[in-house]
Amino acid sequence: MPDVAAVWDQIERWYSKSAPQSLDELAPPAGEPDLSALKLATGVSLPTDLRASLLRHNGGGSIHGYDYLDADWAAELWQRLTAQLQQGDFEGLVPADATGARFTPVWWSPKWLPVAEHRAGTIVCVDTAPGPQGSQGQILQLELNDEGPSATDWRSFAEWLDAYRGDLEAGKYLVDADGNLDRIAE
């Protein structure tokens, strides 16, 4: 698993040189009370790599084009989705990938912890209770409005973050005239 601190060092260096506005958007570190409140609100134990990332930057900015959530926002989103689950809002909804091999084949599981969100309704989650062919801490992408959850190739938050670092360094993002990062279409 990639070292989260080293990955953040590289992202921050890239931002400093190429996208200073993105560096400014990163939040300061979470404190232990923030992380304790997140665990208390969700009942989900933070994977080590996610914990390390929040202790470096408590959200802010964008990763892979998604808003990186701080501990409070992650807890609020988790609580909202769990309330919808309890109200039956997801009943009858079957994920496009409903095999149960890599993740629990439900629309939302309280064992998933949101880490990033896109304004269009896509949520990136860390899966703390994977299926038999999944990995503890794997990254799921949840398309709330149509396909539901799907497994990704990333087996951990650290891998997801490191892939973003790799994309930055490979020139897959450009900085527009306003200082915003735009992913180059592949």
Side-chain angles (χ1 to χ4, degrees):
M1 181 181 322
D3 178 80
V4 170
V7 172
W8 271 121
D9 285 343
Q10 293 167 329
I11 290 171
E12 290 166 7
R13 273 195 300 278
W14 191 92
Y15 280 174
S16 181
K17 186 170 64 173
S18 304
Q21 180 175 314
S22 294
L23 184 61
D24 293 342
E25 291 172 357
L26 293 172
E32 287 299 332
D34 300 310
L35 300 183
S36 294
L38 176 57
K39 182 176 182 188
L40 183 63
T42 64
V44 177
S45 293
L46 296 179
T48 306
D49 55 347
L50 176 58
R51 180 180 179 72
S53 185
L54 290 169
L55 287 169
R56 179 72 171 251
H57 294 291
N58 188 16
S62 175
I63 301 173
H64 290 287
Y66 295 88
D67 294 328
Y68 175 41
L69 306 181
D70 65 24
D72 289 341
W73 189 358
E76 287 175 26
L77 184 53
W78 181 94
Q79 289 171 333
R80 188 180 81 220
L81 291 166
T82 301
Q84 286 181 268
L85 175 68
Q86 292 167 345
Q87 294 165 7
D89 292 354
F90 304 134
E91 256 181 62
L93 297 177
V94 179
D97 175 3
T99 64
R102 295 204 39 213
F103 63 91
T104 304
V106 295
W107 207 260
W108 169 251
S109 169
K111 295 296 183 181
W112 301 342
L113 186 63
V115 295
E117 178 180 36
H118 191 275
R119 291 172 218 52
T122 304
I123 301 167
V124 175
C125 299
V126 170
D127 183 359
T128 66
Q133 294 174 15
S135 301
Q136 180 73 17
Q138 70 188 350
I139 297 296
L140 302 179
Q141 184 169 304
L142 174 57
E143 301 282 347
L144 276 178
N145 299 325
D146 49 23
E147 295 182 17
S150 59
T152 70
D153 291 335
W154 299 298
R155 294 174 301 181
S156 67
F157 178 86
E159 282 187 9
W160 183 71
L161 185 66
D162 191 47
Y164 175 65
R165 179 219 38 89
D167 287 351
L168 290 172
E169 292 177 353
K172 294 184 179 181
Y173 286 86
L174 293 177
V175 181
D176 68 18
D178 295 324
N180 300 310
L181 282 177
D182 290 325
R183 183 164 175 87
I184 299 171
E186 294 181 13

